[in-house]
């Protein structure tokens, strides 16, 4: 008998063929492919007992139906419409966005919050970054205005706009790669984006942040199993954001990493898991890296949006300084000139944040000794400058520049 995996692959192929046909407005061919894909999905639904997968099949069938209806309209035929099991769909729609679609799994243990963290004996909680989710939003991200606009246009869609996208056969841009020098604000941006998405949809969208170095195991197959467990974990949620920080730790180029034989299965596993992720418009996958030039080409090319988080300009640094110390400086301090100096010295956002902390602690120390001291003056600024510096390395700047010029 045909394996479930092979059926899934057959479905993916048919869906791709249908989308290609739709794109070239060959509605007859698209209609036929969609009907075949629906048959495969129906069989899968019968055969596959995994409740999470079954939810996925219903979602997929809904998408097929929308495309199929459009083909029938375009072809001017009444035709037989695809029917989707209505009772199951209604159940899915009535659930809240942050409510896991599956409450219990025979595979894993359920914890107090109703979320299953354990898959194949692996507790995903070990990988999730424990830091409390900060409430930063796009308003807290200084600069990056163009990037925010692109993201709003791609991801912040009403259900009608989303449906229009499906009708057109447009793929979801739900794999975003953030790259840039250390400390430029990639992690900060990812967090802000996820909060922004939550407030746009008026429902909380869970954000899961993972440090990829944590996923690496020393035993054969361990890293791959950890990755699979993580992606299985996200399938419980109707909507969620998965953020993999320091992505290069597991996404290293398979050809470059000839001295690390584990890179090949790891990247292959990631590619498989990501292809499942990308078919679901409700999931958003984000990855961040300081060194995109080390990433595997296949992974890079999957990223629908590649966003460079640049070193802050002097205007961005000036806005940061104004926001954090503007109220505390006296007239001897020219923040515009100071920002220019920091930008010339290639301060990252983190370096600038460290510098700001140093200035504030100068003020604090002096106030402790003499309560009449009220404001930050140029002397304190210079003292803080003496204690801080840029962490940017020139060889990293050069490699990033070459990467950008290559056009990847
Ligand atoms: N655009 C920004 N606006 C304001 N502060 C920022 C911005 N980008 C970064 N920061 C500050 O710099 C710190 C370091 O950023 P982070 O996201 O950790 O950098 P990266 O992940 O790129 O190494 C953040 O915690 C935040 O305080
Ligand atoms: Mg980071």
């Amino acid at each position: 008998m045909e394996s479930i995996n092979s059926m899934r692959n057959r479905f993916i192929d048919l869906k791709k063929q249908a989308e290609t046909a739709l794109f070239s407005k060959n509605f007859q061919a698209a209609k036929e492919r969609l009907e075949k894909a629906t048959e495969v999905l129906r069989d899968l639904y019968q055969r596959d007992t995994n409740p999470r997968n079954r939810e996925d099949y219903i979602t997929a069938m809904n998408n097929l139906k929308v495309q199929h209806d459009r083909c029938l309209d375009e072809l001017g035929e009444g035709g037989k419409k695809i029917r989707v099991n209505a009772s199951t769909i209604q159940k899915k729609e009535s659930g809240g966005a942050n409510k896991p679609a599956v409450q219990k799994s025979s595979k894993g243990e359920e914890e107090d919050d109703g979320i299953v963290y354990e898959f194949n004996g692996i507790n995903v909680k070990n990988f999730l970054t424990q830091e409390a989710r900060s409430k930063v939003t796009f308003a807290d991200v200084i600069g990056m205005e163009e990037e925010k606009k692109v993201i709003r246009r791609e991801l912040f869609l009403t259900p009608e706009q989303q449906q229009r996208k499906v009708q057109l056969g447009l793929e979801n841009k739900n794999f975003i790669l953030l790259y840039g020098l250390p400390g430029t604000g990639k992690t900060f941006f990812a967090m802000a984006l996820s909060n922004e998405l939550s407030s746009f949809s008026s429902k909380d969208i869970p954000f899961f942040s993972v440090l990829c170095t944590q996923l690496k195991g020393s035993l054969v197959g361990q890293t791959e199993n950890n990755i699979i467990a993580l992606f299985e974990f996200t399938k419980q949620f109707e909507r969620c954001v998965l953020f993999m920080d320091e992505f290069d730790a597991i996404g290293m180029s398979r050809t470059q990493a000839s001295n690390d034989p584990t890179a090949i299965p790891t990247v292959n596993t990631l590619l498989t898991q990501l292809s499942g992720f990308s078919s679901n418009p409700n999931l958003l996958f984000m990855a961040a890296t300081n060194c995109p030039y080390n990433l595997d080409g296949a992974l890079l090319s999957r990223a629908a949006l590649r966003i460079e988080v640049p070193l802050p300009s002097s205007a961005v640094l000036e806005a940061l300084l104004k926001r954090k110390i503007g109220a505390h400086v006296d007239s001897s301090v020219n923040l515009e000139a100071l920002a220019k100096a920091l930008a010339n010295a290639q301060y990252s956002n983190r370096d600038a944040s460290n510098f700001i902390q140093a200035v504030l602690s100068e003020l604090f120390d002096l106030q402790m000794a003499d309560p009449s001291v009220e404001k930050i003056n140029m002397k304190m600024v210079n003292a803080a400058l003496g204690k801080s510096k840029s962490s940017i390395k020139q060889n990293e700047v050069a490699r990033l520049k070459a990467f950008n010029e290559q056009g990847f």
Side-chain angles (χ1 to χ4, degrees):
M1 200 198 274
E2 188 182 8
S3 75
I4 288 185
N5 254 346
S6 131
M7 286 168 79
R8 288 173 77 123
N9 287 337
R10 208 146 54 82
F11 164 71
I12 291 169
D13 279 347
L14 283 165
K15 190 173 139 259
K16 278 204 188 119
Q17 289 169 16
E19 276 164 4
T20 314
L22 265 181
F23 190 71
S24 49
K25 298 205 182 323
N26 185 349
F27 296 106
Q28 185 58 38
K31 175 175 163 278
E32 283 160 18
R33 296 284 180 270
L34 288 167
E35 282 161 6
K36 284 214 175 91
T38 310
E39 268 170 41
V40 179
L41 263 188
R42 286 218 170 96
D43 290 346
L44 268 168
Y45 192 79
Q46 304 265 315
R47 287 265 312 277
D48 195 343
T49 51
N50 181 330
R52 276 181 305 278
N53 291 347
R54 289 163 67 91
E55 293 268 343
D56 287 347
Y57 299 147
I58 301 262
T59 311
M61 206 171 308
N62 252 335
N63 289 340
L64 291 186
K65 181 182 160 36
V66 171
Q67 293 179 332
H68 189 260
D69 283 356
R70 179 179 170 219
C71 289
L72 292 183
D73 288 348
E74 294 282 354
L75 292 167
E77 299 173 12
K80 208 171 140 214
K81 296 208 166 174
I82 293 179
R83 288 212 355 249
V84 186
N85 184 335
S87 64
T88 329
I89 296 159
Q90 256 158 18
K91 196 183 103 237
K92 189 174 165 70
E93 278 172 353
S94 62
N98 62 353
K99 214 167 91 202
V102 180
Q103 295 289 340
K104 217 173 208 140
S105 148
S106 56
K107 268 202 233 162
E109 270 172 35
E110 190 188 330
E111 305 209 4
D112 301 347
D113 48 11
I115 299 172
V116 181
Y117 287 98
E118 208 181 291
F119 293 89
N120 294 331
I122 298 170
N123 189 344
V124 174
K125 256 195 176 165
N126 294 336
F127 314 131
L128 299 179
T129 314
Q130 293 300 316
E131 65 187 308
R133 176 178 172 149
S134 80
K135 275 291 152 210
V136 292
T137 64
F138 272 175
D140 299 290
V141 177
I142 302 172
M144 309 253 326
E145 297 307 332
E146 199 44 49
E147 290 77 8
K148 289 182 209 165
K149 250 188 237 159
V150 170
I151 290 201
R152 286 217 170 86
R153 199 171 53 223
E154 295 293 344
L155 298 180
F156 292 29
L157 303 179
T158 63
E160 296 75 40
Q161 291 167 330
Q162 181 61 43
Q163 189 168 355
R164 177 86 191 117
K165 254 181 122 166
V166 174
Q167 282 173 343
L168 286 171
L170 269 176
E171 289 191 357
N172 293 299
K173 297 203 172 169
N174 59 355
F175 174 3
I176 301 180
L177 178 71
L178 300 169
Y179 69 92
L181 294 160
T184 45
K186 298 177 290 296
T187 305
F188 195 69
F189 189 82
M191 189 88 80
L193 166 55
S194 124
N195 285 332
E196 200 73 21
L197 207 54
S198 276
S199 45
F200 174 79
S201 78
S202 78
K203 282 177 188 157
D204 188 43
I205 298 172
F207 176 74
F208 300 110
S209 171
V210 182
L211 251 179
C212 291
T213 42
Q214 305 265 45
L215 291 171
K216 291 199 93 165
S218 48
L219 300 175
V220 174
Q222 208 174 358
T223 314
E224 292 77 50
N225 287 339
N226 289 345
I227 293 169
I228 292 168
L230 184 65
F231 278 90
E232 279 298 318
F233 168 77
T234 62
K235 287 187 190 158
Q236 294 176 85
F237 302 91
E238 289 193 15
R239 296 199 74 179
C240 79
V241 179
L242 175 62
F243 174 53
M244 289 185 137
D245 214 347
E246 316 287 351
F247 194 48
D248 46 285
I250 56 169
M252 217 185 314
S253 159
R254 285 168 291 185
T255 44
Q256 271 178 37
S258 50
N259 51 349
D260 180 3
T262 63
I264 295 172
T266 304
V267 170
N268 289 342
T269 303
L270 267 176
L271 287 170
T272 313
Q273 295 301 319
L274 278 172
S275 64
F277 215 89
S278 67
S279 59
N280 188 340
N282 289 330
L283 301 178
L284 173 61
F285 179 73
M286 274 193 286
T289 179
N290 297 338
C291 33
Y293 36 80
N294 286 341
L295 286 183
D296 191 82
L299 281 173
L300 268 176
S301 64
R302 290 275 173 118
L305 291 175
R306 285 181 287 266
I307 295 183
E308 182 179 17
V309 184
L311 272 175
S313 64
S314 64
V316 166
L317 289 171
E318 190 181 337
L320 186 68
L321 290 170
K322 280 198 175 133
R323 196 176 287 192
K324 303 280 180 184
I325 57 172
H328 304 297
V329 294
D330 74 10
S331 58
S332 71
V333 182
N334 178 343
L335 290 182
E336 189 187 343
L338 182 56
K340 281 209 175 103
L342 297 185
N344 278 340
Q346 291 193 316
Y347 270 54
S348 69
N349 286 296
R350 186 179 295 131
D351 300 330
S353 298
N354 289 343
F355 162 74
I356 288 166
Q357 287 298 310
V359 180
L360 288 171
S361 80
E362 287 293 322
L363 175 65
F364 182 77
D365 289 351
L366 286 167
Q367 278 179 341
M368 293 294 273
D370 175 2
S372 73
V373 176
E374 274 178 13
K375 297 265 178 185
I376 296 166
N377 58 31
M378 210 46 211
K379 203 171 152 221
M380 298 180 209
V381 167
N382 284 327
L385 278 175
K387 289 175 192 163
S388 50
K389 64 177 172 46
S390 162
S391 61
I392 299 301
K393 296 191 181 70
Q394 290 319 306
N395 63 335
E396 288 179 0
V397 176
R399 292 190 77 174
L400 209 56
K401 189 162 168 269
F403 173 82
N404 282 329
E405 280 165 3
Q406 228 180 32
F408 222 132

